[in-house]
Amino acid sequence: MEASYSSQQESEENVNSPPIKDIGIRKFYQLIGEHLPESVGDTLTQETGDGPGKPVFGTLQAFIDVLENSLRDKELEIYQRGDCGRICRRRTTLFRPDVAIFQRNYPLSQYEDKAFWGSIEMAIKYHSAKKTREQRLEQAADYVAYLLNARPDLISALGLLVEPDSLDFFFCNVTGIYKLSLSNKAEYMPLLSAVLRYLNGRQKKNLDPTLVRVQGSSLFDISFPNASTSLGVTKGQATTYPACVLHYSHKPFRCRASIFIYKPATDVAAIRVIKDQYIKKNRRWDEKQILAKIHANGPYPAVVRMCFADEIMQARCGDHVRVRICLQDYGTDFLSLKTPRDMIYALYDLLEVTRSLYLDRKILHRDISPWNIMIRSSEHTERIETCSTASPVFIRHLLDPQEPKHKSSIFLIDFGYGQDLDSPSPCDEQVGTPIFIARAVQAGEPLRPNPIMYFPGLPPLSEDARAIYELNYPHRVKLFNGAFTPRFGPCNNPVPPFQHKLAHDGESGIWTAVWWSIQASPKNREEKPIPMQYWDALMPRYDGPRTGLPDYDGRNSILHAFADAKQSILHPGYSDLVDLFQDIATTILPDYHWAADFTRQRPDFVHEILQRIILNFAVEKKDALFMDYKKTHKNRKADCRMNRYHVSTDESDCRRSSSINSSVPSRGHKRKLDETSLDAVDAMSIVGESVKNRCGRDDDPSEDAHRYVSISIQRFTILILL
């Protein structure tokens, strides 16, 4: 029997545990609520090697015998690898602990061929001569971190590395991983007994009483003991959601986010998504406040709605407190869209809602990515209630006036990095998800100006599109009237301190659409690999560990390829989309910080161009056959025959977000919180090494600038001739 972690949860290869901190024996006893025995001194941390010593645990069976003797008359049982199979997650071989301890009331085996990490109380690594001491410690540390991921009801978790002549005890919580290494039998045997007593009963103090495992399953009952409404002003009675599925689990450090789905069998409208995470005790809970502001005057279209919010004081962990939010909307992520029409409509609506949030509510999202743009099912879209006075007018109404103005199939989630521009907090953090983060945000400053820069004008709308636009956006038509002539630059605008802008959220939306399009392959069509130079250009590159923001950005070559109308970048069945991305690429290549005129300095100018481009395309191609070609569920892969670099296969690297304060040189990072997605994502290939010489691209800045101007002037000439 194979034991597994829920397929939606984070891959164990990417737990990325922080540095292990050594602690003393007295501190470890305190962490598990035990007193240091008088016979044991206050031993400082001792590192043990592979040197000679009396092998107390010379074999795994010798250690099992000690455990079995200690666990008599206790509610704990032992699982040993080989008893009924392996403890692992599909597609991997890294997480197969040699020994696991579990409770009889929560059996390890829930199905005939599977068991679950969520049933385990402690995972144990036994000595392996094929691994170095450091490798064994790292694997044992990863086990305890992974266990904490799989057990959101635990405030902290314990782990163990068994060496022939020593024991290494691990303690893990949201603040990090702590280790105590003991080679003295008189010290480690009493502590082992204390750990087993802790697991057998005293660990109840280490459990979140508002998050309870359902016996005989991998489900959780979740309660809001002091739930406040979405406005955050009234208190309600305790609200409980039974039998919730742990859908996604962020790595267990820092914010330690977990996403649960409550899905009653009989009422689709009653589905709820519950998000848990930790924040510093005195830190402002921005997501709750931002959602409350957005929906203050009634439900705001295309933004996730909040039912309850609560601070779970019963699950405090040092200076961190658990916060819980219950969300009303659910769906699948942007990558689940099936056709080019769906993708184009979703992209337009994304630009519309981010623009409206900025203008109406003074809110920036700052972390737009495929996993923060949710897609409602068509059935639920029809039933959604919207605010009749809200300003967003979405594309389905533009194309069909019979559709409600505020009806959209998308909604935004995860405002954890959102910014309320009315708050005194500066908007100077570099945050976003690699691949999708705007280039200027990743750089922390305006994009480097070229000697000659081309700033496109507003594209003229077709006759049909113009009538639609003037009817629904008369204020925009008046505001941007006269901005149709392209301009050249750059001007000598001073470089201010970094600020996240609305245009940055728009660019992130474009990279999201590019990501969908470059991987999409129509059903029943021949497979065509992605040319490696384009795939490589999209991938984030790091000088060192893959944490924080990438060190290099090659995505300009993707924009140049689209501006050059390179057909090979997309599957031939979707080559008509190249025309759309050609205009989009020309629009977002320059940084409008360097534009001289006031109109191009307006915060929503880039959105205005992009929405006009998309509307023109949607009207022109409304009846085109390719618009409804459904994509296959299998993504296109990079053409590895062209790749001489190492390629790994884990999408979770692409889902990492980074938060960096531009005034502080240190780097931090967080993973994406897939709040309301009901589907797991497939693995994909990503380049794992830095590449100095980009495939198919010359990095000489002057030549790149001349090439850009040449492309832009050619396109401008064509527009004039037409």
Side-chain angles (χ1 to χ4, degrees):
M1 177 179 57
E2 181 172 306
S4 68
Y5 199 47
S6 176
S7 62
Q8 291 93 340
Q9 298 166 32
E10 179 184 6
S11 170
E12 65 272 14
E13 299 95 323
N14 291 279
V15 170
N16 286 337
S17 302
I20 302 170
K21 304 172 187 177
D22 290 313
I23 58 175
I25 192 170
R26 184 179 297 276
K27 178 64 174 178
F28 201 96
Y29 271 97
Q30 290 175 350
L31 289 174
I32 63 173
E34 291 272 353
H35 295 290
L36 182 70
E38 294 182 1
S39 59
V40 178
D42 192 0
T43 307
L44 296 176
T45 302
Q46 298 179 0
E47 269 296 336
T48 60
D50 294 319
K54 186 175 181 180
V56 178
F57 305 122
T59 64
L60 176 59
Q61 187 57 50
F63 176 72
I64 295 294
D65 291 342
V66 171
L67 280 185
E68 289 179 341
N69 185 61
S70 301
L71 294 179
R72 289 176 182 171
D73 302 323
K74 290 184 170 62
E75 295 299 319
L76 302 175
E77 294 190 10
I78 301 170
Y79 163 88
Q80 181 180 353
R81 192 202 298 184
D83 286 350
C84 53
R86 302 170 297 180
I87 294 184
C88 66
R89 181 178 182 241
R90 60 186 180 87
R91 302 194 307 268
T92 69
T93 59
L94 297 181
F95 273 63
R96 299 175 180 175
D98 300 293
V99 180
I101 295 177
F102 64 97
Q103 289 189 7
R104 294 193 185 109
N105 290 339
Y106 299 91
L108 193 66
S109 306
Q110 276 105 12
Y111 297 100
E112 183 178 350
D113 60 344
K114 286 187 178 181
F116 291 87
W117 272 86
S119 301
I120 296 173
E121 303 296 329
M122 185 168 71
I124 300 170
K125 167 69 180 171
Y126 183 73
H127 172 85
S128 172
K130 295 181 180 180
K131 297 181 181 292
T132 65
R133 165 75 174 164
E134 182 179 357
Q135 290 173 330
R136 296 193 294 270
L137 286 170
E138 288 179 353
Q139 191 165 18
D142 284 342
Y143 283 174
V144 68
Y146 195 56
L147 174 59
L148 194 60
N149 240 12
R151 289 284 306 275
D153 59 315
L154 290 178
I155 300 171
S156 56
L158 298 179
L160 192 64
L161 170 62
V162 180
E163 302 281 26
D165 55 358
S166 66
L167 292 181
D168 296 276
F169 297 86
F170 292 85
F171 183 94
C172 175
N173 61 21
V174 70
T175 65
I177 299 179
Y178 305 89
K179 174 179 68 71
L180 170 66
S181 300
L182 298 176
S183 58
N184 186 337
K185 182 178 179 181
E187 292 176 333
Y188 64 66
M189 289 303 291
L191 182 53
L192 177 61
S193 297
V195 165
L196 295 177
R197 289 196 303 272
Y198 172 82
L199 295 176
N200 187 60
R202 296 194 177 184
Q203 185 168 224
K204 292 179 180 179
K205 297 180 180 179
N206 182 49
L207 295 173
D208 180 351
T210 68
L211 187 59
V212 180
R213 285 187 297 168
V214 178
Q215 291 190 6
S217 75
S218 56
L219 305 175
F220 294 86
D221 293 337
I222 304 176
S223 62
F224 288 76
N226 299 295
S228 60
T229 68
S230 60
L231 298 180
V233 294
T234 61
K235 296 289 183 178
Q237 296 179 345
T239 302
T240 300
Y241 293 96
C244 297
V245 176
L246 175 60
H247 173 67
Y248 174 77
S249 186
H250 181 54
K251 62 185 175 183
F253 312 109
R254 300 182 67 196
C255 69
R256 193 192 168 191
S258 300
I259 307 300
F260 304 87
I261 305 294
Y262 169 71
K263 192 174 183 180
T266 57
D267 186 1
V268 174
I271 294 178
R272 296 292 181 265
V273 178
I274 299 169
K275 173 182 175 181
D276 273 8
Q277 68 183 84
Y278 276 91
I279 62 173
K280 286 290 186 70
K281 190 177 298 183
N282 296 320
R283 178 193 155 199
R284 175 185 169 91
W285 187 6
D286 290 332
E287 184 170 19
K288 171 187 173 183
Q289 304 298 332
I290 286 173
L291 287 177
K293 180 179 180 180
I294 291 172
H295 297 292
N297 298 322
Y300 198 89
V303 176
V304 67
R305 295 169 295 172
M306 180 171 63
C307 300
F308 300 106
D310 204 354
E311 293 187 4
I312 311 300
M313 303 306 295
Q314 299 91 329
R316 290 191 304 269
C317 183
D319 62 348
H320 287 72
V321 62
R322 173 170 276 175
V323 293
R324 181 169 297 157
I325 189 168
C326 180
L327 304 169
Q328 186 171 345
D329 302 289
Y330 72 101
T332 56
D333 62 50
F334 189 93
L335 300 179
S336 68
L337 292 167
K338 300 300 184 185
T339 68
R341 187 186 305 277
D342 295 337
M343 183 274 293
I344 292 167
Y345 289 6
L347 176 58
Y348 185 95
D349 286 359
L350 169 69
L351 294 168
E352 178 68 11
V353 70
T354 52
R355 182 180 189 174
S356 297
L357 284 175
Y358 178 87
L359 297 174
D360 295 346
R361 297 290 192 265
K362 304 300 181 185
I363 298 294
L364 283 171
H365 187 282
R366 301 202 301 167
D367 195 9
I368 299 296
S369 75
W371 303 284
N372 284 339
I373 307 166
M374 293 292 108
I375 310 299
R376 289 190 179 94
S377 66
S378 57
E379 175 188 1
H380 201 61
T381 300
E382 297 292 339
R383 299 174 59 181
I384 190 72
E385 295 178 3
T386 56
C387 179
S388 60
T389 59
S391 69
V393 179
F394 296 111
I395 194 167
R396 295 184 186 276
H397 174 76
L398 299 181
L399 300 177
D400 181 2
Q402 299 303 315
E403 295 282 357
K405 283 187 175 183
H406 310 307
K407 173 184 173 182
S408 176
S409 62
I410 76 160
F411 61 96
L412 287 178
I413 64 168
D414 193 0
F415 284 79
Y417 277 166
Q419 178 70 32
D420 182 353
L421 299 178
D422 286 332
S423 74
S425 302
C427 193
D428 58 358
E429 286 182 314
Q430 294 167 250
V431 296
T433 302
I435 298 180
F436 313 103
I437 187 173
R439 292 158 297 150
V441 177
Q442 182 167 316
E445 60 184 4
L447 297 175
R448 181 180 57 190
N450 293 319
I452 302 177
M453 298 184 72
Y454 172 80
F455 299 99
L458 293 177
L461 292 166
S462 66
E463 183 177 352
D464 291 340
R466 183 170 63 251
I468 294 170
Y469 212 76
E470 289 176 348
L471 178 64
N472 290 278
Y473 305 122
H475 58 292
R476 296 181 188 176
V477 173
K478 181 178 179 180
L479 185 64
F480 292 101
N481 185 37
F484 297 98
T485 304
R487 303 291 186 191
F488 288 88
C491 66
N492 294 320
N493 288 337
V495 178
F498 171 79
Q499 292 284 313
H500 195 107
K501 300 179 180 180
L502 174 62
H504 298 150
D505 279 358
E507 182 180 332
S508 293
I510 298 304
W511 290 119
T512 296
V514 168
W515 188 245
W516 184 96
S517 303
I518 201 171
Q519 295 184 97
S521 178
K523 285 185 177 180
N524 305 318
R525 296 292 184 95
E526 181 183 358
E527 291 187 14
K528 295 287 185 180
I530 304 168
M532 195 61 202
Q533 68 266 30
Y534 302 136
W535 183 259
D536 180 39
L538 274 172
M539 292 300 103
R541 293 192 295 155
Y542 298 83
D543 279 335
R546 299 176 63 83
T547 59
L549 291 175
D551 298 297
Y552 302 98
D553 194 343
R555 289 175 293 168
N556 267 2
S557 61
I558 297 292
L559 298 179
H560 286 307
F562 277 125
D564 285 341
K566 299 289 187 183
Q567 299 292 315
S568 62
I569 194 169
L570 302 182
H571 189 282
Y574 291 144
S575 60
D576 292 89
L577 288 173
V578 173
D579 291 340
L580 172 64
F581 284 113
Q582 186 178 32
D583 293 329
I584 286 175
T586 304
T587 299
I588 69 171
L589 262 168
D591 194 318
Y592 291 80
H593 170 79
W594 306 110
D597 58 300
F598 173 77
T599 301
R600 284 173 174 78
Q601 291 287 336
R602 288 193 58 84
D604 57 339
F605 180 75
V606 175
H607 274 63
E608 180 70 15
I609 298 182
L610 293 174
Q611 287 182 260
R612 286 173 176 245
I613 289 171
I614 296 169
L615 181 60
N616 266 339
F617 189 86
V619 171
E620 178 187 350
K621 305 294 185 181
K622 185 175 182 180
D623 298 321
L625 294 178
F626 83 91
M627 291 283 280
D628 296 308
Y629 287 165
K630 290 187 176 181
K631 71 170 186 174
T632 181
H633 70 280
K634 185 178 180 181
N635 290 331
R636 295 171 72 205
K637 301 297 182 183
D639 189 353
C640 295
R641 295 172 299 176
M642 301 172 58
N643 178 31
R644 61 181 184 272
Y645 317 115
H646 169 72
V647 176
S648 64
T649 55
D650 193 343
E651 180 166 311
S652 58
D653 278 351
C654 305
R655 300 178 64 181
R656 184 185 297 116
S657 290
S658 305
S659 174
I660 299 178
N661 189 310
S662 57
S663 63
V664 181
S666 62
R667 288 178 179 257
H669 56 277
K670 80 176 184 77
R671 271 294 209 303
K672 290 306 316 115
L673 309 180
D674 188 5
E675 294 176 9
T676 53
S677 170
L678 295 179
D679 293 341
V681 292
D682 296 326
M684 68 179 81
S685 300
I686 64 170
V687 176
E689 293 185 356
S690 298
V691 182
K692 292 184 179 179
N693 298 319
R694 313 293 298 175
C695 296
R697 178 175 183 262
D698 193 325
D699 280 326
D700 179 69
S702 59
E703 183 172 335
D704 190 57
H706 291 305
R707 177 171 175 271
Y708 171 28
V709 173
S710 174
I711 294 168
S712 301
I713 291 176
Q714 289 173 10
R715 292 180 51 70
F716 181 42
T717 304
I718 292 172
L719 289 173
I720 292 176
L721 292 176
L722 291 176

